Amino acid sequence: MSRHRVVLLGATLGFYLAIVVAVLTTSWLVRLDWQVMFFRPYEQWPQLHAFLDYLVVLGQRGPTAVMVAAWLGWRSWRQHTLRPLITLGVALLLLNITVGAVKLGLGRLGPHYATQIGSAELFAGGDIFPSGHTANAVVTWGILAYLASTVVTRRVLSVVSAVVSLSVGATTVYLGTHWVSDVLLGWSAGLLVLLALPWCEPLIAQVEAYVFEARARLRSLVEAGQVPEALTGLLVPLLSAGGKWRLQRAAEPAAGSAGPTEPQEPVTPAAAPSLPAAHHPAARPAIHLTARQHLIRSERTPATPVGSRRPAHAERAPSRGAAARPATGG
């Protein structure tokens, strides 16, 4: 956690508390909520309604979580690490706990269900404050920038996630499903989760180490033959790690050791238990696949006929066995 991040976290937390206090005290922010609600943006610009109905999906937890999890799962598979997926899970867990607790605790009603003009509509059984769509857009798309591997990629993804989050929040106000203050608190809530993630890195590392340790224990059970045959076929692809592990049953002799009654066959590239096929010295394919010895260039048969290498007719020496012809014929 850098000093810059700590300062930004403190400023965001202060803004978060200021929004909550402003709504609790029915301040000017609540009056702004009602003014925007009576303005009805969806009636002012009805041509945008169809497009924004699809845009707001970028803030729904289910579709966005599936899309981002698919991308991070591919990264985890390529990099042989579970950190991207575990980080996403921890971020979504923090988001659900923090945002859900405030939603249920304050119980604010949305603009479509408001009952008293000018009221903050708090403690009325609602679940609209803060905006879950906005907070989810900040966390779900911001996690891509948080896990970026280069500085340039992190900056680009930060801009993209900010644009998506601002668009989703403004869209909920346009559709009349959230107050302006709901969106402001949703942006703050999502940013607080992202800023607090570095404090969760030790927990993420412990969870990843535990998963890999459990995987190693399960692998040893499969190799020892202590897992039913019905499950072995399902577990082997999961434990193979991209071809880096070969199943060795307990009944089979270990690779490289001779049996008591018959000699052990030499180790082949497919029996290498630890290294990938591309890095194992015995797994490299033979260069010559035929029994004929490879010839160097000077021993090869020329590709062109030998006669083509003779000198031109003017440079040839006269043949000794043939009589010279007279210049005039005859």
Side-chain angles (χ1 to χ4, degrees), residues 190-222:
L191 189 57
L192 284 176
V193 172
L194 290 179
L195 293 174
L197 276 181
W199 282 333
C200 302
E201 287 293 340
L203 175 63
I204 294 172
Q206 291 178 3
V207 172
E208 183 181 22
Y210 175 79
V211 171
F212 281 130
E213 183 181 356
R215 179 190 177 192
R217 290 197 300 265
L218 183 59
R219 176 184 296 179
S220 62
L221 292 177
V222 173

Side-chain angles (χ1 to χ4, degrees), residues 176-197:
T177 56
H178 279 287
W179 307 99
V180 175
S181 55
D182 297 344
V183 174
L184 294 177
L185 197 66
W187 283 330
S188 304
L191 189 57
L192 284 176
V193 172
L194 290 179
L195 293 174
L197 276 181

Side-chain angles (χ1 to χ4, degrees), residues 253-254 256-267:
S257 63
T261 57
E262 56 181 347
Q264 180 71 20
E265 296 182 358
V267 179

Side-chain angles (χ1 to χ4, degrees), residues 21 26 61 71 77 97-99 108 148 161 181 217 252 305:
V21 171
T26 316
R61 190 159 306 154
W71 167 255
W77 178 75
I97 293 176
T98 55
V99 174
R108 191 181 190 186
S161 62
S181 55
R217 290 197 300 265
E252 298 177 358

Side-chain angles (χ1 to χ4, degrees), residues 208-254:
E208 183 181 22
Y210 175 79
V211 171
F212 281 130
E213 183 181 356
R215 179 190 177 192
R217 290 197 300 265
L218 183 59
R219 176 184 296 179
S220 62
L221 292 177
V222 173
E223 291 179 346
Q226 300 179 6
V227 177
E229 291 291 338
L231 297 178
T232 302
L234 299 176
L235 294 177
V236 169
L238 298 177
L239 300 175
S240 60
K244 291 190 175 183
W245 174 70
R246 176 179 178 268
L247 176 62
Q248 185 69 35
R249 299 294 184 86
E252 298 177 358

Side-chain angles (χ1 to χ4, degrees), residues 43-244:
E43 293 182 356
Q44 301 296 328
W45 303 285
Q47 64 275 11
L48 300 176
H49 201 289
F51 170 73
L52 294 180
D53 272 339
Y54 289 102
L55 180 63
V56 79
V57 177
L58 295 178
Q60 289 184 1
R61 190 159 306 154
T64 56
V66 170
M67 289 187 290
V68 175
W71 167 255
L72 296 181
W74 180 81
R75 280 191 55 186
S76 297
W77 178 75
R78 288 291 303 272
Q79 300 175 359
H80 302 288
T81 177
L82 295 176
R83 178 175 176 265
L85 287 177
I86 297 176
T87 304
L88 175 64
V90 171
L92 293 180
L93 181 62
L94 289 176
L95 178 68
N96 290 333
I97 293 176
T98 55
V99 174
V102 177
K103 278 177 173 288
L104 297 179
L106 296 180
R108 191 181 190 186
L109 295 176
H112 292 315
Y113 303 96
T115 57
Q116 184 177 356
I117 298 178
S119 171
E121 301 293 339
L122 294 173
F123 310 110
D127 57 350
I128 209 71
F129 182 70
S131 171
H133 273 70
T134 306
N136 183 73
V138 174
V139 173
T140 307
W141 301 109
I143 202 70
L144 299 178
Y146 178 82
L147 295 173
S149 55
T150 62
V151 177
V152 176
T153 306
R154 184 178 297 109
R155 290 176 179 175
V156 172
L157 291 178
S158 298
V159 173
V160 172
S161 62
V163 171
V164 173
S165 304
L166 292 173
S167 302
V168 170
T171 300
T172 59
V173 176
Y174 167 88
L175 297 175
T177 56
H178 279 287
W179 307 99
V180 175
S181 55
D182 297 344
V183 174
L184 294 177
L185 197 66
W187 283 330
S188 304
L191 189 57
L192 284 176
V193 172
L194 290 179
L195 293 174
L197 276 181
W199 282 333
C200 302
E201 287 293 340
L203 175 63
I204 294 172
Q206 291 178 3
V207 172
E208 183 181 22
Y210 175 79
V211 171
F212 281 130
E213 183 181 356
R215 179 190 177 192
R217 290 197 300 265
L218 183 59
R219 176 184 296 179
S220 62
L221 292 177
V222 173
E223 291 179 346
Q226 300 179 6
V227 177
E229 291 291 338
L231 297 178
T232 302
L234 299 176
L235 294 177
V236 169
L238 298 177
L239 300 175
S240 60
K244 291 190 175 183

